[in-house]
């Protein structure tokens, strides 16, 4: 097999995917460690809601500015700088744990700092793919990205559980620092063609308004972003409260949380690899409708599941639904967005989805303290109805 040339899109895609995969691995391990640390330390749905809010709200507050930066400057440099700053904040948190000054408050504070860095990074990272991949390959490229995300989610619970079982949590933070440095160095090897940037004398407010008007004038983008936001809100319990449900239904050991996260990732990975290998001639919104039904049904079926095997099976089925909505939605948005508006468009996409997550936890987190059934049954039923409506409407 011939080696890929540095200036070929195949090499750029490979290097970008590997760099993001390595960086995602460290971030996923830290995110899981923080959730488990709070879940097992407090057992409180409200405290888990606090982790969710500090994970998503800060990035939502700065997301739009990140989109403007991605349209004005090199998205690659923005990703590299933000990744480095996230690693730096993790390093400081690790030092606090080593010196014995750790607390839930410090965890939430530095979780918020990491979130600010993510808010700058996300619009830029999603602007890179359309610059290095031909338009007709976007669906497969996004499927590969989703597959890599699934692999990191598959591996990180096991690694995180192993580290937390035998070592203190600060060693988990050390893993994130190392993977961030490796990802940044690998991303530096990619050359991205210079594109026409927005004029630097345009102020941020004007840039944001232009991006907003651009989206509002496009029916395809309006519908996609609205659907993505609703979906993100309704799947919050599936992504944030399943560890709490598992701890109540099965047990609160770390290995149980690792198993259910791994099962979800196996389902997501299988479908992502299939979509990357085989070109699907199915309309984007048909796949999204199927995904909503899968998510809704499995959220309801998890409630009476008290055995680790049946719980893991339903989590795996739920994982199947993840790439069926994320990949076609992101591809649809990329296909319908002009290059000079890519950063700002995805800043609004990520803003609304990021706001939907803490809003969902503010609604569903307290419900979990009342009755763990409520935050799964209500959005689960809503997702089934939404999926049936999408398949009929689009």
């Amino acid at each position: 097999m011939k080696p890929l040339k540095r200036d070929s899109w195949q090499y750029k895609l490979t290097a970008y995917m590997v760099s993001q995969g390595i960086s995602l691995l460290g971030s996923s391990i830290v995110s899981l460690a923080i959730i488990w640390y709070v879940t097992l330390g407090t057992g409180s749905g409200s405290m888990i809601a606090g982790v969710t809010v500090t994970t998503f709200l800060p990035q939502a507050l700065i997301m739009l500015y990140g989109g403007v930066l991605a349209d004005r400057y090199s998205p690659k440099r923005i990703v590299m700088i933000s990744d480095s700053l996230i690693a730096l904040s993790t390093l400081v948190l690790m030092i606090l744990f080593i010196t014995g000054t750790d607390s839930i408050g410090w965890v939430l504070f530095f979780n918020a700092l990491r979130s600010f860095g993510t808010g700058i990074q996300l619009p830029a990272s999603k602007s890179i793919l359309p610059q290095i991949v031909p338009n007709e390959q976007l669906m497969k490229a996004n499927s590969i990205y989703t597959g890599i995300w699934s692999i990191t989610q598959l591996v990180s619970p096991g690694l995180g559980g192993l580290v937390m079982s035998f070592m203190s949590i600060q060693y988990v933070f050390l893993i994130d620092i190392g993977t961030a440095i490796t990802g940044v160095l690998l991303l530096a090897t990619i050359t991205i063609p210079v594109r026409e940037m927005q004029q630097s004398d345009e102020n941020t407010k004007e840039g944001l308004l232009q991006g907003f008007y651009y989206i509002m004038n496009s029916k395809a983008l309006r519908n996609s972003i609205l659907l993505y936001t609703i979906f993100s809100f309704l799947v919050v319990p599936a992504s944030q409260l399943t560890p709490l449900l598992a701890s109540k239904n099965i047990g609160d050991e770390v290995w149980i949380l690792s198993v259910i996260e791994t099962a979800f990732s196996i389902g997501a990975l299988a479908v992502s690899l299939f979509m990357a290998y085989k070109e699907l001639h199915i309309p984007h919104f048909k796949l999204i409708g199927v995904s909503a039904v899968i998510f809704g049904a499995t959220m309801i079926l998890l409630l009476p599941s008290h055995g680790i095997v049946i719980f893991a099976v339903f989590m795996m089925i739920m994982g199947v639904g993840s790439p069926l909505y994320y990949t076609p939605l992101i591809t649809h948005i990329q296909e319908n967005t002009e290059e000079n508006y890519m950063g700002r468009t995805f800043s609004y996409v990520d803003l609304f989805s990021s706001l939907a997550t803490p809003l969902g936890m503010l609604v569903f987190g307290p419900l979990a303290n009342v009755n763990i059934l409520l935050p799964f049954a209500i959005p689960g039923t809503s997702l089934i109805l939404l999926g049936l409506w999408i398949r009929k409407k689009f």
Side-chain angles (χ1 to χ4, degrees):
M1 183 177 179
K2 294 182 179 180
L4 297 176
K5 295 182 178 180
R6 285 278 298 272
D7 59 348
S8 66
W9 70 265
Q10 291 92 340
Y11 170 82
K12 295 176 182 178
L13 177 63
T14 302
Y16 174 72
M17 292 298 183
V18 174
S19 72
Q20 292 302 288
I22 292 173
S23 181
L24 276 171
L25 177 62
S27 296
S28 298
I29 291 175
V30 167
S31 296
L32 284 172
I34 289 174
I35 292 175
W36 293 349
Y37 179 79
V38 174
T39 299
L40 301 180
T42 67
S44 168
S46 297
M47 289 304 300
I48 298 173
V51 174
T52 304
V53 170
T54 56
T55 298
F56 293 97
L57 184 58
Q59 72 182 41
L61 295 176
I62 203 170
M63 193 85 68
L64 295 181
Y65 181 66
V68 173
L69 290 179
D71 286 336
R72 285 184 181 176
Y73 306 106
S74 167
K76 185 185 81 170
R77 291 183 181 178
I78 293 173
V79 171
M80 292 171 63
I81 293 173
S82 58
D83 230 357
S84 300
L85 293 177
I86 292 171
L88 179 61
S89 66
T90 306
L91 174 62
V92 176
L93 180 59
M94 183 187 75
I95 293 173
L96 288 174
F97 268 78
I98 292 175
T99 57
T101 54
D102 58 288
S103 67
I104 297 293
W106 279 123
V107 170
L108 297 180
F109 175 76
F110 281 97
N111 201 41
L113 287 184
R114 287 167 51 84
S115 179
F116 276 118
T118 303
I120 295 292
Q121 182 185 38
L122 280 177
S125 64
K126 291 178 181 176
S127 300
I128 292 177
L129 268 185
Q131 293 184 48
I132 61 178
V133 178
N135 193 63
E136 63 273 13
Q137 298 294 331
L138 271 178
M139 185 70 165
K140 285 191 174 183
N142 282 310
S143 296
I144 294 171
Y145 183 85
T146 308
I148 290 175
W149 177 87
S150 301
I151 292 174
T152 62
Q153 300 303 304
L154 178 63
V155 175
S156 56
L159 290 177
L162 182 65
V163 173
M164 290 190 70
S165 296
F166 296 99
M167 305 175 188
S168 301
I169 192 173
Q170 54 259 36
Y171 293 101
V172 183
F173 299 146
L174 185 61
I175 292 174
D176 184 37
I177 296 167
T179 55
I181 293 173
T182 305
V184 167
L185 292 176
L186 193 56
L187 187 59
T189 67
I190 303 174
T191 57
I192 297 178
V194 178
R195 59 187 171 91
E196 183 182 349
M197 303 289 185
Q198 294 292 318
Q199 295 299 316
S200 58
D201 58 353
E202 177 192 71
N203 64 49
T204 302
K205 182 179 179 181
E206 290 174 347
L208 292 177
L209 286 176
Q210 285 186 7
F212 179 77
Y213 293 142
Y214 177 77
I215 292 170
M216 295 306 295
N217 288 328
S218 169
K219 183 179 180 181
L221 293 179
R222 286 201 316 270
N223 290 341
S224 299
I225 294 175
L226 177 61
L227 181 59
Y228 193 39
T229 304
I230 295 173
F231 212 110
S232 298
F233 174 79
L234 292 176
V235 300
V236 163
S239 63
Q240 303 296 322
L241 291 175
T242 46
L244 184 61
L245 178 64
S247 68
K248 293 181 180 297
N249 281 8
I250 307 170
D252 58 1
E253 292 88 352
V254 171
W255 72 268
I256 292 176
L257 305 184
S258 297
V259 167
I260 64 172
E261 295 289 349
T262 301
F264 180 91
S265 300
I266 289 174
L269 176 61
V271 174
S272 297
L273 293 178
F274 177 77
M275 294 174 69
Y277 171 75
K278 185 176 179 60
E279 185 175 353
L280 298 179
H281 299 286
I282 302 175
H284 293 330
F285 287 95
K286 292 287 186 182
L287 294 174
I288 296 167
V290 171
S291 173
V293 173
I294 292 175
F295 261 101
T298 50
M299 285 174 68
I300 294 173
L301 291 171
L302 281 174
L303 294 175
S305 303
H306 291 274
I308 183 63
V309 175
I310 190 66
F311 201 101
V313 168
F314 284 135
M315 286 296 294
M316 188 182 301
I317 296 173
M318 182 186 292
V320 168
S322 181
L324 292 181
Y325 92 89
Y326 178 83
T327 304
L329 257 178
I330 295 300
T331 303
H332 182 74
I333 293 171
Q334 289 171 337
E335 290 174 345
N336 287 276
T337 304
E338 296 174 27
E339 189 176 85
N340 284 336
Y341 285 92
M342 195 71 69
R344 280 168 290 179
T345 296
F346 275 108
S347 71
Y348 279 103
V349 171
D350 292 324
L351 169 66
F352 292 124
S353 63
S354 296
L355 286 175
T357 302
L359 177 61
M361 277 305 292
L362 289 174
V363 174
F364 300 123
L367 281 179
N369 292 333
V370 176
N371 191 320
I372 193 64
L373 302 178
L374 297 177
F376 285 86
I378 296 173
T381 303
S382 301
L383 278 166
I384 293 174
L385 296 175
L386 177 65
L388 296 175
W389 179 80
I390 291 172
R391 287 180 59 82
K392 180 180 179 180
K393 181 70 174 178
F394 293 97

